[in-house]
Coordinates of all heavy atoms in Angstrom, one line a residue:
G1 N -186.2 -10.4 -163.1 CA -185.0 -9.9 -163.8 C -184.6 -8.5 -163.5 O -185.4 -7.7 -163.0
Y2 N -183.4 -8.2 -163.8 CA -182.9 -6.9 -163.6 C -182.4 -6.3 -164.9 O -181.7 -7.0 -165.7 CB -181.7 -6.8 -162.6 CG -181.1 -5.5 -162.4 CD1 -181.7 -4.6 -161.6 CD2 -179.9 -5.1 -163.0 CE1 -181.2 -3.3 -161.3 CE2 -179.4 -3.9 -162.8 CZ -180.1 -3.0 -162.0 OH -179.5 -1.7 -161.8
S3 N -182.8 -5.2 -165.3 CA -182.4 -4.5 -166.5 C -182.2 -3.1 -166.3 O -182.9 -2.4 -165.5 CB -183.6 -4.8 -167.5 OG -183.3 -4.2 -168.8
T4 N -181.2 -2.6 -167.1 CA -181.0 -1.2 -167.0 C -180.5 -0.7 -168.4 O -180.0 -1.5 -169.1 CB -179.8 -0.8 -165.9 OG1 -179.6 0.6 -166.0 CG2 -178.6 -1.6 -166.2
C5 N -180.6 0.6 -168.6 CA -180.0 1.1 -169.9 C -178.7 1.8 -169.7 O -178.2 2.5 -170.6 CB -181.1 2.1 -170.5 SG -181.5 3.5 -169.5
S6 N -178.2 1.7 -168.5 CA -177.0 2.4 -168.1 C -175.8 1.5 -168.5 O -175.8 0.3 -168.5 CB -176.9 2.7 -166.6 OG -175.7 3.0 -166.2
L7 N -174.7 2.2 -168.9 CA -173.4 1.5 -169.0 C -172.5 1.7 -167.9 O -171.3 1.4 -167.9 CB -172.7 2.0 -170.3 CG -173.5 1.8 -171.6 CD1 -172.8 2.4 -172.8 CD2 -173.7 0.3 -171.8
N8 N -173.0 2.2 -166.8 CA -172.2 2.5 -165.5 C -172.2 1.2 -164.7 O -173.2 0.8 -164.2 CB -172.9 3.7 -164.8 CG -172.1 4.1 -163.6 OD1 -171.3 3.4 -163.0 ND2 -172.4 5.3 -163.1
P9 N -171.0 0.7 -164.4 CA -170.9 -0.5 -163.6 C -171.4 -0.4 -162.2 O -171.8 -1.3 -161.5 CB -169.4 -0.9 -163.7 CG -168.7 0.3 -163.9 CD -169.7 1.2 -164.9
I10 N -171.5 0.9 -161.7 CA -172.0 1.1 -160.3 C -173.5 0.9 -160.4 O -174.1 0.5 -159.3 CB -171.6 2.5 -159.8 CG1 -170.2 2.7 -159.7 CG2 -172.3 2.8 -158.4 CD1 -169.7 4.1 -159.4
E11 N -174.2 1.1 -161.5 CA -175.6 0.9 -161.6 C -175.9 -0.5 -162.2 O -177.1 -0.9 -162.1 CB -176.2 2.0 -162.6 CG -176.1 3.4 -162.0 CD -176.6 4.4 -163.0 OE1 -177.3 4.1 -163.9 OE2 -176.3 5.6 -162.8
D12 N -175.0 -1.2 -162.6 CA -175.2 -2.5 -163.3 C -174.6 -3.6 -162.4 O -175.3 -4.2 -161.5 CB -174.6 -2.6 -164.6 CG -175.3 -1.6 -165.6 OD1 -176.5 -1.4 -165.4 OD2 -174.7 -1.2 -166.6
E13 N -173.3 -3.9 -162.6 CA -172.6 -5.0 -161.9 C -172.7 -4.8 -160.4 O -172.9 -5.8 -159.7 CB -171.1 -5.0 -162.4 CG -171.0 -5.6 -163.8 CD -171.1 -4.7 -164.9 OE1 -171.6 -3.6 -164.7 OE2 -170.7 -5.0 -166.0
A14 N -172.5 -3.6 -159.9 CA -172.5 -3.4 -158.5 C -173.9 -3.7 -157.9 O -174.0 -4.4 -156.8 CB -172.1 -2.0 -158.1
V15 N -174.9 -3.4 -158.5 CA -176.3 -3.7 -158.0 C -176.5 -5.2 -158.0 O -177.0 -5.8 -157.0 CB -177.4 -3.0 -158.9 CG1 -178.8 -3.4 -158.5 CG2 -177.3 -1.5 -158.7
V16 N -176.1 -5.9 -159.1 CA -176.3 -7.3 -159.2 C -175.5 -8.0 -158.1 O -175.9 -9.0 -157.4 CB -176.0 -7.8 -160.6 CG1 -176.0 -9.3 -160.7 CG2 -177.1 -7.2 -161.6
A17 N -174.2 -7.6 -158.0 CA -173.3 -8.3 -157.0 C -173.8 -8.1 -155.6 O -173.8 -9.0 -154.9 CB -171.9 -7.6 -157.1
C18 N -174.4 -6.9 -155.3 CA -174.9 -6.7 -154.0 C -176.2 -7.6 -153.8 O -176.3 -8.2 -152.7 CB -175.3 -5.3 -153.8 SG -175.9 -4.8 -152.2
A19 N -177.0 -7.7 -154.7 CA -178.2 -8.5 -154.5 C -177.8 -10.0 -154.4 O -178.4 -10.7 -153.6 CB -179.2 -8.3 -155.8
L20 N -176.9 -10.4 -155.2 CA -176.4 -11.9 -155.1 C -175.8 -12.1 -153.7 O -176.1 -13.1 -153.1 CB -175.4 -12.1 -156.2 CG -176.0 -12.2 -157.6 CD1 -174.9 -12.3 -158.7 CD2 -177.0 -13.4 -157.8
G21 N -175.0 -11.1 -153.3 CA -174.2 -11.3 -152.1 C -175.1 -11.4 -150.9 O -174.8 -12.0 -149.9
E22 N -176.2 -10.6 -150.9 CA -177.2 -10.6 -149.8 C -178.2 -11.7 -149.9 O -179.2 -11.7 -149.1 CB -177.8 -9.2 -149.7 CG -176.8 -8.1 -149.3 CD -177.3 -6.7 -149.1 OE1 -178.6 -6.7 -149.1 OE2 -176.6 -5.8 -148.9
G23 N -178.1 -12.5 -151.0 CA -179.1 -13.5 -151.1 C -180.5 -13.1 -151.6 O -181.5 -13.8 -151.5
L24 N -180.5 -11.9 -152.1 CA -181.8 -11.4 -152.7 C -182.1 -11.7 -154.1 O -183.2 -11.4 -154.6 CB -181.7 -9.8 -152.5 CG -181.5 -9.3 -151.1 CD1 -181.4 -7.8 -151.2 CD2 -182.7 -9.6 -150.2
A25 N -181.1 -12.3 -154.8 CA -181.3 -12.7 -156.1 C -180.4 -14.0 -156.4 O -179.6 -14.3 -155.6 CB -180.8 -11.6 -157.1
R26 N -180.7 -14.6 -157.5 CA -179.8 -15.7 -157.8 C -179.6 -15.7 -159.3 O -180.5 -15.2 -160.1 CB -180.5 -17.0 -157.4 CG -181.8 -17.4 -158.0 CD -182.4 -18.6 -157.5 NE -183.7 -18.8 -158.0 CZ -184.0 -19.5 -159.2 NH1 -183.1 -19.9 -159.9 NH2 -185.3 -19.6 -159.5
L27 N -178.6 -16.3 -159.8 CA -178.3 -16.4 -161.3 C -179.1 -17.7 -161.8 O -179.2 -18.7 -161.1 CB -176.8 -16.6 -161.6 CG -175.9 -15.4 -161.2 CD1 -174.5 -15.8 -161.5 CD2 -176.3 -14.2 -162.0
V28 N -179.6 -17.5 -163.0 CA -180.3 -18.6 -163.6 C -179.6 -18.9 -165.0 O -179.2 -17.9 -165.6 CB -181.9 -18.3 -163.8 CG1 -182.5 -18.3 -162.4 CG2 -182.1 -17.1 -164.6
P29 N -179.6 -20.1 -165.4 CA -179.1 -20.3 -166.8 C -179.8 -19.7 -167.8 O -181.1 -19.6 -167.8 CB -179.2 -21.9 -166.9 CG -179.5 -22.4 -165.5 CD -180.2 -21.3 -164.7
L30 N -179.1 -19.2 -168.8 CA -179.7 -18.6 -170.0 C -179.7 -19.6 -171.2 O -178.8 -20.4 -171.3 CB -179.0 -17.3 -170.4 CG -179.1 -16.2 -169.3 CD1 -178.2 -15.0 -169.7 CD2 -180.5 -15.7 -169.1
P31 N -180.6 -19.5 -172.1 CA -180.5 -20.3 -173.3 C -179.1 -20.1 -174.0 O -178.6 -19.0 -174.1 CB -181.7 -19.8 -174.2 CG -182.6 -19.1 -173.3 CD -181.7 -18.5 -172.2
D32 N -178.6 -21.2 -174.6 CA -177.3 -21.1 -175.3 C -177.3 -20.2 -176.5 O -176.2 -19.7 -176.8 CB -176.9 -22.6 -175.7 CG -176.5 -23.4 -174.5 OD1 -176.1 -22.9 -173.4 OD2 -176.6 -24.6 -174.6
D33 N -178.4 -20.1 -177.1 CA -178.5 -19.2 -178.3 C -178.8 -17.8 -178.0 O -178.7 -17.0 -178.9 CB -179.5 -19.8 -179.3 CG -180.9 -19.7 -178.7 OD1 -181.1 -19.6 -177.5 OD2 -181.9 -19.9 -179.5
L34 N -178.7 -17.4 -176.8 CA -179.0 -15.9 -176.5 C -177.5 -15.3 -176.5 O -176.6 -15.7 -175.9 CB -179.5 -15.8 -175.0 CG -179.8 -14.4 -174.6 CD1 -180.9 -13.8 -175.4 CD2 -180.1 -14.4 -173.1
Q35 N -177.6 -14.2 -177.3 CA -176.3 -13.4 -177.3 C -176.1 -12.6 -176.0 O -177.1 -12.0 -175.5 CB -176.3 -12.4 -178.5 CG -176.3 -13.0 -179.9 CD -176.1 -11.9 -180.9 OE1 -176.4 -10.8 -180.7 NE2 -175.7 -12.4 -182.1
R36 N -174.9 -12.7 -175.5 CA -174.6 -12.1 -174.2 C -173.1 -11.8 -174.2 O -172.3 -12.4 -174.9 CB -175.1 -12.9 -173.1 CG -174.5 -14.3 -173.0 CD -175.2 -15.1 -172.0 NE -174.7 -16.5 -171.8 CZ -175.2 -17.5 -172.5 NH1 -176.3 -17.4 -173.2 NH2 -174.6 -18.7 -172.3
A37 N -172.8 -11.0 -173.2 CA -171.3 -10.7 -173.0 C -171.1 -10.7 -171.4 O -172.0 -10.3 -170.7 CB -171.0 -9.4 -173.5
P38 N -169.9 -11.1 -171.0 CA -169.7 -11.1 -169.6 C -169.6 -9.7 -169.0 O -169.3 -8.7 -169.7 CB -168.3 -11.7 -169.5 CG -167.7 -11.5 -170.7 CD -168.8 -11.5 -171.8
G39 N -170.1 -9.5 -167.8 CA -170.0 -8.2 -167.1 C -168.6 -7.9 -166.6 O -167.7 -8.7 -166.8
L40 N -168.5 -6.7 -166.1 CA -167.2 -6.3 -165.6 C -166.9 -7.0 -164.2 O -167.9 -7.2 -163.5 CB -167.1 -4.8 -165.4 CG -167.3 -4.0 -166.7 CD1 -167.3 -2.5 -166.4 CD2 -166.1 -4.3 -167.7
S41 N -165.6 -7.2 -163.9 CA -165.3 -7.8 -162.6 C -164.5 -6.8 -161.8 O -164.2 -6.9 -160.6 CB -164.5 -9.0 -162.7 OG -163.3 -8.8 -163.5
C42 N -164.1 -5.7 -162.5 CA -163.4 -4.6 -161.8 C -163.7 -3.3 -162.4 O -163.9 -3.2 -163.6 CB -161.9 -4.8 -161.7 SG -161.1 -4.8 -163.3
W43 N -163.8 -2.2 -161.6 CA -164.1 -0.9 -162.1 C -163.7 0.1 -161.0 O -163.5 -0.2 -159.9 CB -165.6 -0.7 -162.5 CG -166.5 -1.0 -161.3 CD1 -166.9 0.0 -160.4 CD2 -167.1 -2.2 -161.0 NE1 -167.8 -0.7 -159.4 CE2 -167.9 -2.0 -159.9 CE3 -167.1 -3.4 -161.7 CZ2 -168.7 -3.0 -159.3 CZ3 -168.0 -4.5 -161.1 CH2 -168.7 -4.2 -159.9
G44 N -163.4 1.3 -161.4 CA -163.2 2.4 -160.5 C -164.4 3.2 -160.1 O -165.3 3.3 -160.9
V45 N -164.5 3.7 -158.9 CA -165.5 4.5 -158.4 C -165.0 5.9 -158.3 O -164.0 6.2 -157.6 CB -166.0 4.0 -157.1 CG1 -167.2 4.9 -156.5 CG2 -166.5 2.6 -157.2
P46 N -165.7 6.9 -159.0 CA -165.2 8.2 -158.9 C -165.4 8.9 -157.6 O -166.4 8.7 -156.9 CB -166.0 9.0 -160.0 CG -167.2 8.2 -160.2 CD -166.9 6.7 -159.9
D47 N -164.4 9.7 -157.2 CA -164.7 10.6 -156.0 C -165.8 11.5 -156.2 O -166.0 11.9 -157.3 CB -163.3 11.4 -155.7 CG -163.4 12.2 -154.4 OD1 -163.0 11.6 -153.4 OD2 -163.9 13.3 -154.5
P48 N -166.6 11.9 -155.2 CA -167.7 12.8 -155.5 C -167.2 14.1 -156.0 O -168.1 14.8 -156.8 CB -168.3 13.0 -154.0 CG -168.0 11.7 -153.3 CD -166.6 11.3 -153.9
Q49 N -166.0 14.5 -155.9 CA -165.5 15.7 -156.4 C -164.8 15.5 -157.8 O -164.1 16.4 -158.2 CB -164.6 16.4 -155.5 CG -165.1 16.7 -154.1 CD -166.3 17.7 -154.2 OE1 -166.3 18.6 -154.8 NE2 -167.3 17.3 -153.4
F50 N -165.1 14.4 -158.4 CA -164.4 14.0 -159.7 C -164.7 15.1 -160.7 O -165.9 15.6 -160.9 CB -165.0 12.7 -160.2 CG -164.4 12.2 -161.4 CD1 -163.3 11.3 -161.4 CD2 -164.8 12.6 -162.7 CE1 -162.7 10.8 -162.5 CE2 -164.2 12.1 -163.9 CZ -163.2 11.2 -163.8
S51 N -163.7 15.5 -161.5 CA -163.8 16.5 -162.5 C -162.6 16.3 -163.4 O -161.6 15.6 -163.1 CB -163.8 17.9 -161.9 OG -162.6 18.2 -161.4
A52 N -162.5 17.1 -164.5 CA -161.3 17.1 -165.3 C -160.1 17.6 -164.6 O -159.0 17.0 -164.9 CB -161.6 18.1 -166.5
D53 N -160.3 18.5 -163.6 CA -159.1 18.9 -162.8 C -158.8 17.9 -161.7 O -157.7 18.0 -161.1 CB -159.4 20.2 -162.2 CG -159.5 21.4 -163.3 OD1 -158.8 21.2 -164.3 OD2 -160.3 22.3 -163.1
N54 N -159.8 17.1 -161.3 CA -159.6 16.2 -160.2 C -160.1 14.7 -160.6 O -161.2 14.3 -160.1 CB -160.4 16.6 -158.9 CG -160.2 15.7 -157.8 OD1 -159.2 15.1 -157.6 ND2 -161.2 15.7 -156.9
P55 N -159.4 14.1 -161.5 CA -159.9 12.9 -162.1 C -159.6 11.6 -161.2 O -158.9 10.7 -161.5 CB -159.3 12.7 -163.4 CG -157.9 13.4 -163.2 CD -158.2 14.5 -162.2
L56 N -160.2 11.6 -159.9 CA -159.8 10.7 -158.9 C -160.8 9.5 -159.0 O -162.0 9.7 -158.7 CB -159.8 11.3 -157.6 CG -159.3 10.5 -156.4 CD1 -158.0 9.8 -156.7 CD2 -159.3 11.3 -155.1
L57 N -160.3 8.3 -159.2 CA -161.1 7.0 -159.1 C -160.4 6.1 -158.1 O -159.2 6.0 -157.9 CB -161.0 6.3 -160.5 CG -161.6 6.9 -161.6 CD1 -161.4 6.1 -162.9 CD2 -163.2 7.0 -161.4
Y58 N -161.3 5.5 -157.3 CA -160.9 4.6 -156.2 C -161.1 3.2 -156.7 O -162.1 2.9 -157.4 CB -161.6 4.8 -155.0 CG -161.4 6.2 -154.4 CD1 -162.5 7.1 -154.4 CD2 -160.2 6.6 -153.8 CE1 -162.3 8.4 -153.8 CE2 -160.1 7.9 -153.3 CZ -161.1 8.7 -153.3 OH -160.9 9.9 -152.8
R59 N -160.2 2.3 -156.5 CA -160.3 0.9 -157.0 C -160.9 0.0 -155.9 O -161.3 -1.1 -156.2 CB -158.9 0.3 -157.3 CG -158.3 1.1 -158.5 CD -159.1 0.7 -159.8 NE -158.6 1.6 -160.9 CZ -159.4 1.7 -162.0 NH1 -160.5 1.2 -162.1 NH2 -158.9 2.5 -162.9
S60 N -160.9 0.5 -154.6 CA -161.5 -0.3 -153.6 C -162.1 0.6 -152.5 O -161.7 1.7 -152.4 CB -160.5 -1.2 -152.9 OG -159.6 -0.5 -152.2
F61 N -163.1 0.0 -151.7 CA -163.6 0.8 -150.7 C -162.5 1.2 -149.6 O -162.6 2.3 -149.1 CB -164.8 0.1 -150.0 CG -165.4 0.8 -148.9 CD1 -166.2 1.9 -149.2 CD2 -165.3 0.3 -147.6 CE1 -166.8 2.6 -148.1 CE2 -165.9 1.0 -146.5 CZ -166.7 2.2 -146.8
E62 N -161.6 0.3 -149.4 CA -160.6 0.6 -148.4 C -159.7 1.7 -148.9 O -159.3 2.6 -148.0 CB -159.7 -0.7 -148.2 CG -160.4 -1.8 -147.4 CD -161.6 -2.5 -148.2 OE1 -161.5 -2.5 -149.4 OE2 -162.5 -3.0 -147.6
E63 N -159.4 1.8 -150.2 CA -158.6 2.9 -150.7 C -159.4 4.2 -150.6 O -158.8 5.2 -150.1 CB -158.4 2.7 -152.2 CG -157.6 3.8 -152.9 CD -157.4 3.6 -154.4 OE1 -158.1 2.7 -155.0 OE2 -156.6 4.4 -155.0
A64 N -160.7 4.2 -150.7 CA -161.4 5.5 -150.6 C -161.5 5.9 -149.1 O -161.3 7.0 -148.8 CB -162.9 5.2 -151.0
R65 N -161.7 4.9 -148.2 CA -161.8 5.2 -146.7 C -160.4 5.8 -146.3 O -160.3 6.7 -145.5 CB -162.1 3.9 -145.9 CG -163.6 3.7 -145.9 CD -164.0 2.6 -144.9 NE -163.1 2.4 -143.8 CZ -163.0 1.3 -143.1 NH1 -163.8 0.3 -143.4 NH2 -162.2 1.2 -142.1
T66 N -159.3 5.2 -146.7 CA -158.0 5.7 -146.4 C -157.8 7.1 -146.9 O -157.3 8.0 -146.1 CB -156.9 4.8 -147.0 OG1 -157.1 3.5 -146.4 CG2 -155.5 5.3 -146.7
A67 N -158.3 7.4 -148.1 CA -158.1 8.7 -148.6 C -158.9 9.8 -147.8 O -158.5 10.9 -147.7 CB -158.5 8.8 -150.1
Y68 N -160.1 9.4 -147.2 CA -160.9 10.3 -146.5 C -160.4 10.4 -145.0 O -160.8 11.4 -144.3 CB -162.4 9.9 -146.5 CG -163.0 10.5 -147.8 CD1 -162.9 9.9 -149.0 CD2 -163.7 11.7 -147.7 CE1 -163.5 10.5 -150.1 CE2 -164.2 12.2 -148.9 CZ -164.1 11.6 -150.0 OH -164.7 12.2 -151.2
G69 N -159.5 9.5 -144.6 CA -159.0 9.6 -143.2 C -160.0 9.7 -142.2 O -160.9 8.9 -142.1
E70 N -160.0 10.8 -141.4 CA -160.9 10.9 -140.2 C -162.3 11.4 -140.7 O -163.3 11.2 -140.0 CB -160.4 11.9 -139.3 CG -159.1 11.4 -138.6 CD -159.3 10.2 -137.7 OE1 -160.3 10.2 -137.0 OE2 -158.4 9.3 -137.8
R71 N -162.3 11.9 -141.9 CA -163.6 12.4 -142.4 C -164.5 11.2 -142.9 O -164.0 10.1 -143.2 CB -163.4 13.3 -143.7 CG -162.7 14.6 -143.4 CD -162.4 15.4 -144.6 NE -161.5 14.5 -145.4 CZ -161.3 14.6 -146.7 NH1 -162.2 15.4 -147.4 NH2 -160.5 13.9 -147.4
K72 N -165.8 11.3 -142.9 CA -166.7 10.2 -143.3 C -166.6 10.0 -144.8 O -166.7 11.0 -145.6 CB -168.1 10.6 -142.8 CG -169.1 9.5 -143.2 CD -170.5 9.8 -142.7 CE -171.3 8.5 -143.1 NZ -172.5 8.6 -143.5
C73 N -166.4 8.8 -145.2 CA -166.3 8.5 -146.6 C -167.7 8.5 -147.2 O -168.6 7.8 -146.7 CB -165.7 7.1 -146.8 SG -165.5 6.7 -148.6
P74 N -168.0 9.3 -148.2 CA -169.4 9.4 -148.8 C -169.7 8.3 -149.7 O -170.8 8.1 -150.2 CB -169.3 10.7 -149.6 CG -167.9 10.9 -149.9 CD -167.1 10.3 -148.9
L75 N -168.7 7.4 -150.0 CA -168.9 6.3 -151.0 C -169.4 5.1 -150.2 O -169.0 4.9 -149.0 CB -167.7 6.0 -151.7 CG -167.1 7.2 -152.6 CD1 -165.8 6.8 -153.1 CD2 -168.1 7.6 -153.5
L76 N -170.1 4.2 -150.7 CA -170.6 3.0 -150.2 C -169.8 1.8 -150.6 O -169.4 1.7 -151.8 CB -172.1 2.8 -150.5 CG -173.0 3.9 -150.1 CD1 -174.4 3.6 -150.6 CD2 -173.0 4.2 -148.6
R77 N -169.6 0.8 -149.7 CA -168.9 -0.4 -150.0 C -169.5 -1.1 -151.2 O -168.9 -1.7 -152.0 CB -168.8 -1.3 -148.9 CG -168.1 -2.6 -149.1 CD -168.0 -3.5 -147.8 NE -167.3 -2.9 -146.7 CZ -166.0 -2.9 -146.6 NH1 -165.2 -3.4 -147.5 NH2 -165.4 -2.3 -145.6
T78 N -170.9 -1.0 -151.4 CA -171.6 -1.8 -152.4 C -171.4 -1.1 -153.8 O -171.7 -1.7 -154.8 CB -173.0 -1.9 -152.1 OG1 -173.6 -0.6 -151.8 CG2 -173.3 -2.8 -150.9
M79 N -170.8 0.0 -153.9 CA -170.4 0.7 -155.1 C -169.3 0.0 -155.8 O -169.0 0.2 -157.0 CB -170.2 2.1 -155.0 CG -171.4 2.9 -154.4 SD -170.9 4.6 -153.9 CE -171.5 5.5 -155.3
F80 N -168.4 -0.8 -155.0 CA -167.2 -1.2 -155.5 C -167.3 -2.7 -155.9 O -168.3 -3.4 -155.5 CB -166.2 -1.2 -154.4 CG -165.7 0.3 -154.1 CD1 -166.5 1.0 -153.2 CD2 -164.6 0.8 -154.8 CE1 -166.1 2.4 -153.0 CE2 -164.3 2.2 -154.5 CZ -165.0 2.9 -153.6
P81 N -166.4 -3.2 -156.8 CA -166.5 -4.7 -157.1 C -166.5 -5.5 -155.8 O -165.9 -5.1 -154.8 CB -165.2 -4.9 -157.9 CG -164.9 -3.6 -158.4 CD -165.2 -2.6 -157.4
P82 N -167.1 -6.6 -155.8 CA -167.1 -7.5 -154.6 C -165.7 -8.0 -154.4 O -164.8 -8.1 -155.3 CB -168.1 -8.7 -155.0 CG -168.2 -8.7 -156.5 CD -167.9 -7.2 -156.9
D83 N -165.4 -8.3 -153.1 CA -164.1 -8.8 -152.7 C -163.8 -10.1 -153.2 O -162.7 -10.5 -153.5 CB -164.0 -8.7 -151.2 CG -163.9 -7.3 -150.6 OD1 -163.5 -6.4 -151.3 OD2 -164.4 -7.2 -149.5
S84 N -164.8 -11.0 -153.4 CA -164.6 -12.2 -153.9 C -165.6 -12.5 -155.1 O -166.7 -12.0 -155.1 CB -164.8 -13.3 -152.9 OG -166.1 -13.4 -152.5
T85 N -165.2 -13.4 -156.0 CA -166.0 -13.7 -157.1 C -167.0 -14.9 -156.8 O -167.8 -15.4 -157.6 CB -165.2 -14.1 -158.3 OG1 -164.4 -15.1 -158.0 CG2 -164.4 -12.9 -158.8
N86 N -166.9 -15.5 -155.5 CA -167.7 -16.6 -155.3 C -169.3 -16.3 -155.3 O -170.1 -17.3 -155.5 CB -167.4 -17.3 -153.9 CG -167.7 -16.3 -152.7 OD1 -168.0 -15.1 -152.9 ND2 -167.7 -16.8 -151.6
I87 N -169.7 -15.1 -155.2 CA -171.1 -14.8 -155.4 C -171.6 -15.0 -156.8 O -172.7 -15.1 -157.0 CB -171.5 -13.4 -154.9 CG1 -170.7 -12.3 -155.8 CG2 -171.1 -13.2 -153.4 CD1 -171.3 -11.0 -155.6
L88 N -170.6 -15.0 -157.7 CA -171.0 -15.2 -159.1 C -171.1 -16.6 -159.6 O -171.4 -16.9 -160.7 CB -170.1 -14.3 -160.0 CG -170.0 -12.8 -159.7 CD1 -169.0 -12.1 -160.5 CD2 -171.4 -12.2 -159.8
E89 N -170.7 -17.5 -158.7 CA -170.6 -18.9 -159.0 C -171.8 -19.6 -158.7 O -172.6 -19.3 -157.8 CB -169.4 -19.6 -158.4 CG -168.1 -18.9 -159.0 CD -166.9 -19.4 -158.2 OE1 -166.9 -20.1 -157.2 OE2 -165.8 -19.0 -158.6

C-alpha cells in the first residue's frame, strides 16, 4: 500500500499515477463500507520560483517546457496529471 500525510497532489496522485503507469502497482478493490473520496484528476505544478510575486502554476508538462524555451525545464513529466485516465481503470 501507499500512504502519505501530505495533501499535495504531486506527492499523492502523481506518485500513484506514475507507479500505475509504469506497471509498478495495481489498484485493488476496497471494501464497500470503507469511507473514501476520489483523488484529484488535475492539478497545477508550481514553477520552482513560485512566490506571492510570481504565482506561476503549469497545467501540463508541455506548458512548462514551452515556458522554459531553450533552457532545461526543472520540472518532471511525472509531477503532472497523466495524459490519459486509462491507467486508473
Side-chain angles (χ1 to χ4, degrees):
Y2 178 77
S3 177
T4 178
C5 61
S6 172
L7 296 177
N8 182 340
I10 298 170
E11 296 177 15
D12 295 331
E13 284 86 348
V15 171
V16 172
C18 182
L20 290 170
E22 292 183 8
L24 301 173
R26 64 184 174 87
L27 294 178
V28 295
L30 296 173
D32 289 335
D33 61 343
L34 182 68
Q35 288 187 343
R36 57 189 181 264
L40 299 175
S41 59
C42 63
W43 57 86
V45 176
D47 186 89
Q49 303 300 316
F50 185 93
S51 69
D53 295 330
N54 183 34
L56 184 55
L57 291 173
Y58 300 109
R59 297 289 172 200
S60 70
F61 181 67
E62 290 71 25
E63 180 184 8
R65 277 189 29 201
T66 299
Y68 275 83
E70 297 295 319
R71 297 173 294 151
K72 182 178 187 218
C73 180
L75 303 173
L76 304 175
R77 181 177 298 278
T78 55
M79 298 169 100
F80 293 87
D83 293 333
S84 70
T85 56
N86 64 348
I87 63 168
L88 303 177
E89 297 171 353

